[in-house]
Amino acid sequence: MCRHLGYLGPPVPLRSLLFDPPHSLATQAWAPRDMRGGGTINADGFGVGWWPPGAVVPVRHRSAMPIWTDTTLPALAGAVSSGAVLAAVRSATVGMPVVETAAAPFTDGRWLFSHNGVIRGWPSAVAALARDLPVDDLLTLDAPTDSAILWALVRARLRSGEPPAKAVAAVVGDLVTVAPGSRLNLLLTDGHQMIATTLGHALSVRPGRGSTLISSEPLDPGPSWQPVADGHLVTATATEVEITPIFSAPS
Ligand code: GLN
């Protein structure tokens, strides 16, 4: 299953997330340590989105190729710095196309989004939820994949003004109902806050001195990484991290 990461803090070269650490995202593409639920490498594309200084809308680069085959990316990633980054490497679920537009991050205005996991019973399991989406959203899906429809469901709630953590938790709740057994590690950011979930896959958080990193797997052996237990929702800024159960216990 895919790997993803999000960073908020002082500007850093993209390279310091994608390539330089001992267990960088590029390393996690070909030698992940904690793949759960199938898949061995993440060779079916990658994407990186970041905010240039002062920008409201992020810039995004995606590809259907393995991240390690992009020979220009290391130099570009050394030359570009940002204080808000979301990047992902993809292991396509069987039956889903290996195309650039299926690689995260997905984007809309100021948002970047990634999904690590699978929707069980896709597409029929989500048909009832998809029917509530505007037909334009369905006709302009990035790709015919579970992650793209998941993004369309989150995006519709964001567009209607729902707070991001509520939107993410609501979509996860709907999917758990209609597609039980789905793996739903989501990651959403607007460059100021990050929302992440754990449902079926690994995730760790590294709160730091004025920066926060969220990553499927720790990028280095440093002691500050904290694993996030399954079934949790992370809400974070550069300076604060809060981890709560996705679903409140019944009272
Ligand atoms: N199911 C999604 C896809 O195929 C995400 C894959 C993953 O997490 N491995 O794009």
Side-chain angles (χ1 to χ4, degrees), residues 1-2 90-93 96 102 115-118 146-147:
M1 293 288 140
C2 315
R90 179 171 183 239
S91 168
T93 297
M96 296 189 193
H115 166 226
N116 166 205
V118 63
D146 55 353
S147 301

